[in-house]
Structure formats: structure tokens, C-alpha cells
Amino acid sequence: MKLESQARKMLEKIGVNKGQTILDFGCGYGTYTIPAAKIAGEQGKVYALDKDRQVLDELMQKATSAGLKNIRRMQTSGELEIDLVDESVDKVLLFDVFHSYYFLQIADREKLLAEIYRIMKPSASLSVWPKHMESEAGEEIKDADFHLVEEFSGMLVHENNDIEKGKVLNFEKE
Ligand SMILES: C[S@@+](CC[C@H](N)C(=O)[O-])C[C@H]1O[C@@H](n2cnc3c(N)ncnc32)[C@H](O)[C@@H]1O
């Protein structure tokens, strides 16, 4: 619970709000999906997208135990197309996934950012925890027609079991 409240604190800081439609891309076990769904509430929803069936199974079990009905499972094969309509999402979380371990080629990261851009409402924001790519991520994201709005330093939950200092960058569409 301590980890969840830590994750929730960061989400509140970066502008996750009640009623939002949120995409948690590369959601893993749901460290951020579950608290985001609690904040979004019944009027909001969180798309939990991952290519790993096992992590999504675990996440959905946690959602059921917590009585959360606003998480939509999106299991993929790792493709970079996102099965959501244009301008339909208020907030995108890209936490500890936008790095070269998962997206080896810069072209893949560009494609992912273009998809994220497409599904974001004009007023939406993209929040990135650029772990493992702290120095390059910001520039790559700006090159994809986003502008940096704010940086948030604080404690982040890593791998669902420890807390470490980090930075989340908030971007909006140009
Ligand atoms: C290091 S974990 C981070 C999980 C979560 N965002 C967090 O911060 O706790 C990265 C996750 O991204 C997922 N992932 C990596 N590449 C992906 C892709 N192309 N499509 C969907 N999920 C992907 C992995 O399966 C893994 O669950």
C-alpha cells in the first residue's frame, strides 16, 4: 500500500485527474494503472496496454480485487499502432518504457510518438518517466511535435518493489 500511495502521489502531481481517459502504455503489473484508475473514478477509464500477457493477467486480478471496473485491458503483440481512435485520450503515461531496450531503433520511437500524438486530444498531455534515457528522451519527444510543459522531480516506484528518485516530464502537443 505504501508503494501504491507513493505512485498515486506522483500521478496527482503530474495531472492525472478524475473523469479522464488515460492510456498507460507499457503498463506492466499496473504499478501506475491501479492508482490512475482510482483517481479517474467511474467517469474515467484507463487503457492498460502491454505486450506481456502475464503482467496483464496479474494487473486485471488486482483490478478485480480492488473492485475497479474502469480498466480496459489492451494486450498487443508489441506493434506500435495503438487501437484507439484519433483525439480520444486525455492523458498518456509512458513510464519506464520509452527507451532503447524496448525500442531499439529511433524510427520505432518516432513511430510510437506519432501514434501517441494521434490519439491525444488537443488538450491532452503526455507524461514520460524517461528512465534509462534521461538525456536523449526530451529532445526526441520535442522532435515529434510535442513541447515540454513541466518537469516533476520526486519519488517513483520502480519494478513494483522499490522507490527511487526520478523525474517525470509533461508534454503537450505543439
Ligand atoms: C519496465 S516495465 C514498466 C512498467 C510500468 N510502466 C511501470 O513503470 O511500472 C516496461 C513494460 O513495457 C512493456 N512493453 C515494452 N515494449 C512494449 C511494446 N512495444 N508494446 C507494449 N508493451 C511494451 C513491457 O512488456 C513491460 O511490461
Side-chain angles (χ1 to χ4, degrees):
M1 208 48 173
K2 187 169 181 292
L3 293 178
E4 187 181 318
S5 61
Q6 195 66 49
R8 181 176 179 135
K9 223 189 212 172
M10 180 53 91
L11 292 175
E12 286 169 343
K13 227 159 106 163
I14 64 172
V16 171
N17 288 316
K18 195 171 172 177
Q20 285 179 334
T21 296
I22 299 159
L23 168 66
D24 188 1
F25 187 99
C27 58
Y29 294 102
T31 305
Y32 293 91
T33 322
I34 299 278
K38 289 185 181 174
I39 298 171
E42 286 177 12
Q43 307 304 316
K45 57 171 144 346
V46 185
Y47 293 106
L49 187 154
D50 208 287
K51 62 180 181 178
D52 183 334
R53 171 198 296 266
Q54 209 181 321
V55 297
L56 285 174
D57 285 346
E58 205 170 299
L59 190 166
M60 294 314 289
Q61 275 170 18
K62 281 197 246 172
T64 305
S65 326
L68 291 167
K69 297 196 173 74
N70 60 349
I71 297 180
R72 309 276 180 273
R73 175 183 182 131
M74 289 182 80
Q75 193 179 323
T76 72
S77 311
E79 67 271 19
L80 299 172
E81 291 80 19
I82 301 172
D83 189 15
L84 292 173
V85 297
D86 294 359
E87 300 191 355
S88 57
V89 169
D90 297 295
K91 184 74 162 170
V92 178
L93 304 178
L94 208 48
F95 273 35
D96 190 13
V97 62
F98 186 76
H99 48 72
S100 48
Y101 175 73
Y102 292 118
F103 303 100
L104 190 60
Q105 310 293 337
I106 188 163
D108 293 336
R109 300 195 291 275
E110 284 170 355
K111 189 163 182 199
L112 174 63
L113 291 171
E115 268 299 87
I116 288 173
Y117 191 98
R118 180 185 65 76
I119 60 149
M120 280 169 64
K121 293 180 186 174
S123 59
S125 65
L126 161 66
S127 296
V128 186
W129 176 18
K131 192 167 165 59
H132 308 298
M133 238 180 77
E134 282 83 358
S135 50
E136 313 96 307
E139 285 310 309
E140 285 191 17
I141 297 167
K142 284 183 206 158
D143 288 346
D145 287 339
F146 290 92
H147 67 274
L148 180 65
V149 181
E150 211 170 344
E151 289 190 16
F152 302 88
S153 295
M155 303 311 287
L156 283 142
V157 182
H158 183 231
E159 303 282 341
N160 217 13
N161 60 20
D162 65 24
I163 294 181
E164 61 179 54
K165 234 174 165 226
K167 213 182 254 181
V168 175
L169 311 178
N170 264 12
F171 296 88
E172 288 176 2
K173 290 167 112 172
E174 283 290 3

